[in-house]
Amino acid sequence: MSHTDSTKLKRSHEPVFWGLFGAGGMLTAFLTPVMILITGILVPLAIISPEALSYERVHGFATSWYGAAILLVLIALPLWHTLHRIFHGLHDIGVKRGRDWQQVICYGAAFAVSVFVFTLLLQML
Amino acid sequence: MNNPASKRKPYQRELPVDWWLKHAFYTKYMIREGTSIAITIYSCILAWGLLRLSQGPEAWQGWLDALQHPIAILFHIIALGLALYHTVTWFDLAPKAADIWLKGKKLDDKFIVIGHYAGFVLASLAALIIITL
Protein backbone atom coordinates (compact mmCIF):
# COMPACT_ATOMS: atom_id res chain seq x y z
CA MET A 1 0.00 0.00 0.00
CA SER A 2 1.26 3.44 -0.81
CA HIS A 3 -0.13 6.64 0.58
CA THR A 4 0.29 10.13 -0.71
CA ASP A 5 0.46 12.92 1.84
CA SER A 6 -3.21 13.71 1.49
CA THR A 7 -4.28 10.18 2.40
CA LYS A 8 -1.82 9.68 5.25
CA LEU A 9 -3.38 7.41 7.83
CA LYS A 10 -3.76 8.77 11.30
CA ARG A 11 -1.61 6.99 13.82
CA SER A 12 -3.69 4.95 16.24
CA HIS A 13 -2.89 4.49 19.93
CA GLU A 14 -4.82 1.22 19.90
CA PRO A 15 -1.74 -1.07 19.46
CA VAL A 16 -0.29 0.13 22.78
CA PHE A 17 -3.47 -0.70 24.69
CA TRP A 18 -3.93 -3.89 22.72
CA GLY A 19 -0.42 -5.01 23.69
CA LEU A 20 -1.04 -4.31 27.37
CA PHE A 21 -4.42 -6.07 27.04
CA GLY A 22 -2.74 -9.18 25.64
CA ALA A 23 0.07 -9.23 28.18
CA GLY A 24 -2.37 -8.68 31.02
CA GLY A 25 -4.67 -11.40 29.71
CA MET A 26 -1.79 -13.85 29.54
CA LEU A 27 -0.64 -13.06 33.08
CA THR A 28 -4.22 -13.21 34.37
CA ALA A 29 -4.81 -16.59 32.71
CA PHE A 30 -1.69 -18.18 34.16
CA LEU A 31 -1.32 -16.63 37.61
CA THR A 32 -4.47 -14.87 38.84
CA PRO A 33 -6.30 -18.09 39.87
CA VAL A 34 -3.46 -19.28 42.08
CA MET A 35 -2.99 -15.78 43.50
CA ILE A 36 -6.67 -15.59 44.47
CA LEU A 37 -6.43 -19.10 45.92
CA ILE A 38 -3.45 -18.13 48.12
CA THR A 39 -4.30 -14.60 49.30
CA GLY A 40 -8.09 -14.92 49.30
CA ILE A 41 -8.79 -18.48 50.43
CA LEU A 42 -5.90 -20.62 51.69
CA VAL A 43 -4.17 -18.06 53.92
CA PRO A 44 -7.35 -16.46 55.39
CA LEU A 45 -8.68 -19.95 56.22
CA ALA A 46 -5.25 -20.83 57.67
CA ILE A 47 -4.93 -23.85 55.34
CA ILE A 48 -1.57 -22.32 54.49
CA SER A 49 0.09 -20.94 57.62
CA PRO A 50 -0.56 -17.18 57.93
CA GLU A 51 3.21 -16.94 58.45
CA ALA A 52 3.46 -17.27 54.65
CA LEU A 53 2.14 -13.70 54.40
CA SER A 54 3.75 -12.36 57.59
CA TYR A 55 4.71 -8.69 57.64
CA GLU A 56 8.45 -9.40 57.75
CA ARG A 57 8.26 -11.77 54.81
CA VAL A 58 6.06 -9.69 52.52
CA HIS A 59 7.78 -6.43 53.47
CA GLY A 60 11.19 -7.99 52.80
CA PHE A 61 9.99 -9.15 49.39
CA ALA A 62 8.31 -5.85 48.46
CA THR A 63 11.41 -3.85 49.38
CA SER A 64 13.77 -5.87 47.22
CA TRP A 65 14.14 -4.54 43.67
CA TYR A 66 13.04 -7.81 42.07
CA GLY A 67 10.15 -8.23 44.51
CA ALA A 68 8.95 -4.71 43.80
CA ALA A 69 9.11 -5.35 40.05
CA ILE A 70 7.18 -8.63 40.40
CA LEU A 71 4.49 -7.03 42.60
CA LEU A 72 4.07 -4.11 40.19
CA VAL A 73 3.49 -6.50 37.30
CA LEU A 74 1.23 -8.87 39.28
CA ILE A 75 -1.00 -6.10 40.64
CA ALA A 76 -1.08 -3.54 37.83
CA LEU A 77 -0.82 -5.48 34.56
CA PRO A 78 -4.14 -7.38 34.89
CA LEU A 79 -5.91 -4.01 35.14
CA TRP A 80 -4.79 -3.05 31.63
CA HIS A 81 -6.50 -6.23 30.49
CA THR A 82 -9.69 -5.97 32.54
CA LEU A 83 -10.36 -2.27 31.98
CA HIS A 84 -9.88 -2.71 28.23
CA ARG A 85 -12.58 -5.39 28.37
CA ILE A 86 -14.83 -3.28 30.58
CA PHE A 87 -14.48 -0.35 28.14
CA HIS A 88 -15.60 -2.54 25.24
CA GLY A 89 -18.20 -4.21 27.46
CA LEU A 90 -19.87 -0.83 28.00
CA HIS A 91 -20.48 -0.72 24.25
CA ASP A 92 -21.90 -4.26 24.35
CA ILE A 93 -24.48 -3.38 26.98
CA GLY A 94 -25.46 -0.31 24.99
CA VAL A 95 -23.93 2.55 26.96
CA LYS A 96 -23.61 4.96 24.05
CA ARG A 97 -22.98 8.32 25.65
CA GLY A 98 -19.48 9.74 25.94
CA ARG A 99 -17.41 6.95 24.42
CA ASP A 100 -14.27 9.10 24.56
CA TRP A 101 -14.81 9.81 28.25
CA GLN A 102 -15.49 6.15 28.92
CA GLN A 103 -12.11 5.44 27.38
CA VAL A 104 -10.37 8.11 29.46
CA ILE A 105 -11.98 6.78 32.65
CA CYS A 106 -11.22 3.11 31.92
CA TYR A 107 -7.58 3.46 30.85
CA GLY A 108 -7.20 6.30 33.35
CA ALA A 109 -8.22 3.96 36.17
CA ALA A 110 -5.67 1.36 35.07
CA PHE A 111 -3.04 4.09 34.84
CA ALA A 112 -3.96 5.60 38.23
CA VAL A 113 -3.73 2.28 40.10
CA SER A 114 -0.45 1.49 38.30
CA VAL A 115 1.02 4.82 39.45
CA PHE A 116 -0.38 4.25 42.96
CA VAL A 117 1.32 0.83 43.20
CA PHE A 118 4.55 2.09 41.60
CA THR A 119 4.77 5.04 44.02
CA LEU A 120 4.14 2.86 47.07
CA LEU A 121 6.80 0.38 46.02
CA LEU A 122 9.27 3.19 45.28
CA GLN A 123 8.82 4.87 48.66
CA MET A 124 9.23 1.54 50.47
CA LEU A 125 12.47 0.63 48.68
CA MET B 1 -25.67 12.33 16.35
CA ASN B 2 -22.79 14.31 17.76
CA ASN B 3 -23.99 17.54 16.24
CA PRO B 4 -27.17 18.72 17.98
CA ALA B 5 -27.99 21.13 15.13
CA SER B 6 -28.02 18.32 12.59
CA LYS B 7 -31.38 17.48 11.03
CA ARG B 8 -30.06 14.07 10.13
CA LYS B 9 -32.00 11.19 11.58
CA PRO B 10 -29.86 8.09 11.17
CA TYR B 11 -31.51 4.73 11.65
CA GLN B 12 -30.52 3.24 14.96
CA ARG B 13 -31.14 -0.41 15.37
CA GLU B 14 -32.79 -1.14 18.69
CA LEU B 15 -30.74 -3.22 21.10
CA PRO B 16 -32.61 -4.76 24.01
CA VAL B 17 -30.63 -4.66 27.26
CA ASP B 18 -30.88 -8.43 27.64
CA TRP B 19 -29.75 -9.35 24.12
CA TRP B 20 -26.94 -11.47 25.48
CA LEU B 21 -29.27 -13.63 27.61
CA LYS B 22 -31.18 -14.98 24.63
CA HIS B 23 -28.42 -17.08 23.17
CA ALA B 24 -26.01 -19.31 25.11
CA PHE B 25 -23.08 -18.25 22.91
CA TYR B 26 -23.55 -14.58 23.75
CA THR B 27 -24.23 -15.34 27.42
CA LYS B 28 -20.89 -17.14 27.65
CA TYR B 29 -19.23 -14.23 25.87
CA MET B 30 -20.66 -11.77 28.40
CA ILE B 31 -19.63 -13.95 31.36
CA ARG B 32 -16.11 -14.02 29.91
CA GLU B 33 -16.08 -10.23 29.62
CA GLY B 34 -17.68 -10.01 33.08
CA THR B 35 -14.78 -11.89 34.70
CA SER B 36 -12.92 -8.60 34.23
CA ILE B 37 -14.98 -6.95 36.95
CA ALA B 38 -14.01 -9.51 39.61
CA ILE B 39 -10.35 -9.41 38.58
CA THR B 40 -10.36 -5.59 38.67
CA ILE B 41 -11.71 -5.68 42.23
CA TYR B 42 -9.11 -8.29 43.17
CA SER B 43 -6.26 -6.12 41.82
CA CYS B 44 -7.62 -3.18 43.83
CA ILE B 45 -7.69 -5.37 46.97
CA LEU B 46 -4.02 -6.19 46.37
CA ALA B 47 -3.15 -2.53 45.71
CA TRP B 48 -4.90 -1.66 48.98
CA GLY B 49 -2.90 -4.38 50.73
CA LEU B 50 0.29 -2.78 49.46
CA LEU B 51 -0.79 0.57 50.93
CA ARG B 52 -1.43 -1.15 54.29
CA LEU B 53 1.95 -2.89 54.03
CA SER B 54 3.64 0.48 53.61
CA GLN B 55 1.92 1.72 56.79
CA GLY B 56 3.55 -0.85 59.05
CA PRO B 57 2.94 -4.24 60.75
CA GLU B 58 -0.35 -3.32 62.45
CA ALA B 59 -1.93 -1.95 59.27
CA TRP B 60 -0.77 -5.04 57.37
CA GLN B 61 -2.31 -7.30 60.03
CA GLY B 62 -5.54 -5.33 59.67
CA TRP B 63 -5.59 -6.10 55.95
CA LEU B 64 -4.98 -9.81 56.61
CA ASP B 65 -7.77 -9.83 59.22
CA ALA B 66 -10.16 -8.18 56.77
CA LEU B 67 -9.51 -10.99 54.30
CA GLN B 68 -10.86 -13.47 56.88
CA HIS B 69 -14.30 -11.86 56.84
CA PRO B 70 -16.91 -14.30 55.43
CA ILE B 71 -17.85 -11.81 52.69
CA ALA B 72 -14.18 -11.53 51.68
CA ILE B 73 -13.88 -15.33 51.54
CA LEU B 74 -17.10 -15.59 49.52
CA PHE B 75 -15.89 -12.91 47.09
CA HIS B 76 -12.58 -14.70 46.57
CA ILE B 77 -14.29 -18.05 45.95
CA ILE B 78 -16.50 -16.44 43.27
CA ALA B 79 -13.51 -14.54 41.87
CA LEU B 80 -11.53 -17.79 41.69
CA GLY B 81 -14.30 -19.41 39.64
CA LEU B 82 -14.45 -16.42 37.29
CA ALA B 83 -10.66 -16.24 36.98
CA LEU B 84 -10.57 -19.93 36.04
CA TYR B 85 -13.26 -19.26 33.44
CA HIS B 86 -11.06 -16.54 31.99
CA THR B 87 -8.14 -19.00 31.92
CA VAL B 88 -10.19 -21.63 30.05
CA THR B 89 -11.46 -19.13 27.46
CA TRP B 90 -7.97 -17.64 27.04
CA PHE B 91 -6.40 -21.04 26.40
CA ASP B 92 -9.21 -21.96 23.99
CA LEU B 93 -8.23 -18.91 21.92
CA ALA B 94 -4.50 -19.58 22.19
CA PRO B 95 -4.21 -21.64 18.96
CA LYS B 96 -5.66 -18.70 17.03
CA ALA B 97 -2.97 -16.39 18.43
CA ALA B 98 -0.04 -18.82 18.27
CA ASP B 99 0.15 -19.94 14.65
CA ILE B 100 3.06 -22.38 14.84
CA TRP B 101 4.34 -24.27 11.79
CA LEU B 102 6.79 -27.15 12.01
CA LYS B 103 8.36 -28.63 8.85
CA GLY B 104 5.67 -27.08 6.67
CA LYS B 105 2.82 -28.45 8.77
CA LYS B 106 0.66 -26.47 11.12
CA LEU B 107 1.04 -27.58 14.72
CA ASP B 108 -2.16 -29.26 15.88
CA ASP B 109 -4.36 -26.94 17.95
CA LYS B 110 -4.65 -29.41 20.78
CA PHE B 111 -0.89 -29.42 21.42
CA ILE B 112 -0.93 -25.65 21.86
CA VAL B 113 -3.88 -25.86 24.26
CA ILE B 114 -2.34 -28.75 26.23
CA GLY B 115 0.94 -26.85 26.39
CA HIS B 116 -0.84 -23.87 27.92
CA TYR B 117 -2.58 -26.04 30.53
CA ALA B 118 0.74 -27.69 31.40
CA GLY B 119 2.27 -24.23 31.87
CA PHE B 120 -0.71 -23.22 33.98
CA VAL B 121 -0.35 -26.24 36.29
CA LEU B 122 3.41 -25.73 36.62
CA ALA B 123 3.04 -22.00 37.34
CA SER B 124 0.33 -22.65 39.95
CA LEU B 125 2.34 -25.40 41.67
CA ALA B 126 5.45 -23.21 41.63
CA ALA B 127 3.50 -20.36 43.25
CA LEU B 128 2.10 -22.68 45.95
CA ILE B 129 5.55 -24.13 46.68
CA ILE B 130 7.21 -20.69 46.83
CA ILE B 131 4.57 -19.31 49.20
CA THR B 132 4.70 -22.29 51.59
CA LEU B 133 8.51 -22.59 51.69
Side-chain angles (χ1 to χ4, degrees):
Chain A
M1 275 208 302
S2 66
H3 296 289
T4 60
D5 278 359
S6 57
T7 62
K8 221 177 212 170
L9 292 171
K10 218 176 123 188
R11 250 174 187 275
S12 166
H13 55 239
E14 187 68 14
V16 178
F17 293 127
W18 181 255
L20 286 164
F21 163 78
M26 203 49 119
L27 179 80
T28 304
F30 278 99
L31 286 176
T32 299
V34 73
M35 285 165 60
I36 295 176
L37 186 66
I38 291 169
T39 70
I41 299 171
L42 296 182
V43 172
L45 294 178
I47 296 168
I48 288 179
S49 160
E51 280 304 301
L53 291 182
S54 71
Y55 177 77
E56 290 73 26
R57 198 173 181 214
V58 180
H59 190 263
F61 182 70
T63 50
S64 67
W65 65 267
Y66 61 90
I70 289 170
L71 286 179
L72 177 65
V73 171
L74 288 181
I75 299 174
L77 196 53
L79 290 169
W80 291 93
H81 172 83
T82 59
L83 282 149
H84 177 93
R85 274 197 166 161
I86 288 171
F87 169 64
H88 289 283
L90 288 170
H91 169 79
D92 293 337
I93 56 170
V95 185
K96 294 201 187 80
R97 289 182 60 190
R99 273 310 268 169
D100 44 356
W101 281 104
Q102 287 175 31
Q103 194 167 24
V104 168
I105 291 166
C106 285
Y107 293 130
F111 181 72
V113 179
S114 302
V115 171
F116 177 74
V117 169
F118 183 76
T119 313
L120 282 173
L121 288 165
L122 207 61
Q123 63 140 25
M124 277 198 283
L125 272 184
Chain B
M1 254 203 320
N2 295 327
N3 177 6
S6 171
K7 296 270 192 304
R8 213 177 130 252
K9 279 188 184 164
Y11 169 70
Q12 286 196 34
R13 197 168 60 90
E14 268 187 50
L15 186 69
V17 192
D18 60 345
W19 63 271
W20 51 278
L21 285 172
K22 291 172 182 163
H23 197 305
F25 179 82
Y26 296 124
T27 308
K28 282 200 264 180
Y29 163 79
M30 282 304 255
I31 293 171
R32 187 192 82 187
E33 301 300 291
T35 61
S36 296
I37 297 168
I39 295 165
T40 302
I41 295 170
Y42 178 64
S43 264
C44 290
I45 291 172
L46 292 184
W48 189 255
L50 198 62
L51 173 72
R52 302 301 276 161
L53 183 75
S54 74
Q55 292 169 343
E58 277 168 41
W60 174 249
Q61 193 54 48
W63 184 73
L64 287 179
D65 291 345
L67 289 179
Q68 293 178 354
H69 192 281
I71 293 174
I73 304 270
L74 183 68
F75 165 77
H76 283 95
I77 289 171
I78 295 168
L80 176 62
L82 291 170
L84 284 171
Y85 189 71
H86 164 78
T87 300
V88 171
T89 57
W90 193 262
F91 290 174
D92 280 349
L93 284 171
K96 292 188 172 63
D99 193 25
I100 301 168
W101 290 71
L102 287 176
K103 294 177 184 165
K105 279 181 80 179
K106 195 176 183 307
L107 189 64
D108 198 344
D109 282 1
K110 73 167 184 261
F111 290 117
I112 298 176
V113 176
I114 290 170
H116 276 76
Y117 277 105
F120 172 75
V121 170
L122 284 177
S124 300
L125 285 177
L128 285 167
I129 290 168
I130 289 168
I131 204 75
T132 47
L133 274 182

